[in-house]
Amino acid sequence: MRLERLLQSQGFGSRKTCRLRIEAGDVRVNGALCRDPLAEFDTAGLTFEIDGETWTYAEHVYLALNKPAGFECTHQPQHHRSVYTLLPPPLIRRGVQSVGRLDADTTGLLLFSDDGRFIHAMASPKRRVAKHYRATLKHAFDDALPKRLLTGVLLTGEPAPLAALAARQIDAHTLALSIDQGKYHQVKRMVAAAGNRVEALHRAGFGALSLEDGSLPAIAPGDCCHLDEKHLALLGYCR
């Protein structure tokens, strides 16, 4: 692939912008300075350096973000900052999108990619990928709460009750809950229908990936990491 096209595909601007940066000596490929925009490179395992940062060529990118509270999962936020401001600008320019959304006040694991097939596979209701949450409750834990959630609660506008995959008490005001649907405000609405109220919500895991069990690197709130083939396999996705 020609170097100017390669940089463009990785989110570093238009082809003209990339060409000018290459000619200005801003780009190293596999450790060597290259000023020829038309130089051809094999993309397999290729690394390049620009603005002092080293990148590895990727046809598609897959990311895990530890979302803090106070960010909206949209490019056009209404009341808070966009979650996309937490991502490196080249990844935004190449068009990464979140797999579903988390409410502005909800924290935890959020996936991103520019691979439309991956996004559809992870978000499709037919796939029923499990999402694992930790909910802080307003009222002290009621022993009957998990049973209600596992049996199913009827939410306004839904034709049938929705049941949790798993529900258990962590402490007097904390519930661990797993669901495989993705309805609007589902966890909060389910807990309310079961007789309590969610005061804070954290997504700890998505499928077999978790922020807490070592299946992902340690990610501080607001930071992200790239997912490799091992992580994609845990999600049941094959490129």
Side-chain angles (χ1 to χ4, degrees), residues 70-137:
F71 287 83
E72 296 181 26
C73 295
T74 175
H75 288 284
Q76 298 178 322
Q78 299 295 313
H79 306 291
H80 304 275
R81 291 174 60 192
S82 169
V83 73
Y84 291 94
T85 63
L86 299 171
L87 303 179
L91 301 186
I92 299 171
R93 287 194 291 266
R94 65 182 290 170
V96 298
Q97 300 294 329
S98 65
V99 177
R101 296 185 177 189
L102 294 177
D103 297 338
D105 60 350
T106 299
T107 62
L109 183 58
L110 188 61
L111 304 183
F112 292 83
S113 182
D114 60 352
D115 180 351
R117 190 168 70 92
F118 171 79
I119 294 172
H120 175 75
M122 294 299 103
S124 172
K126 295 180 181 179
R127 286 288 301 273
R128 304 186 77 91
V129 179
K131 277 78 73 176
H132 311 288
Y133 294 89
R134 188 166 63 249
T136 302
L137 306 177

Side-chain angles (χ1 to χ4, degrees), residues 53-74:
E53 186 170 358
T54 299
W55 299 77
T56 299
Y57 174 87
E59 181 180 1
H60 292 295
V61 291
Y62 308 87
L63 304 170
L65 171 78
N66 187 354
K67 178 187 173 295
F71 287 83
E72 296 181 26
C73 295
T74 175

Side-chain angles (χ1 to χ4, degrees), residues 184-206:
Y184 179 71
H185 293 324
Q186 184 175 340
V187 172
K188 296 175 181 178
R189 293 165 65 206
M190 286 180 68
V191 171
N196 211 312
R197 178 188 174 105
V198 173
E199 295 285 272
L201 188 62
H202 176 78
R203 183 194 279 171
F206 193 106

Side-chain angles (χ1 to χ4, degrees), residues 172-188:
H173 284 270
T174 309
L175 167 73
L177 182 71
S178 298
I179 60 174
D180 61 0
Q181 309 98 0
K183 306 293 184 179
Y184 179 71
H185 293 324
Q186 184 175 340
V187 172
K188 296 175 181 178

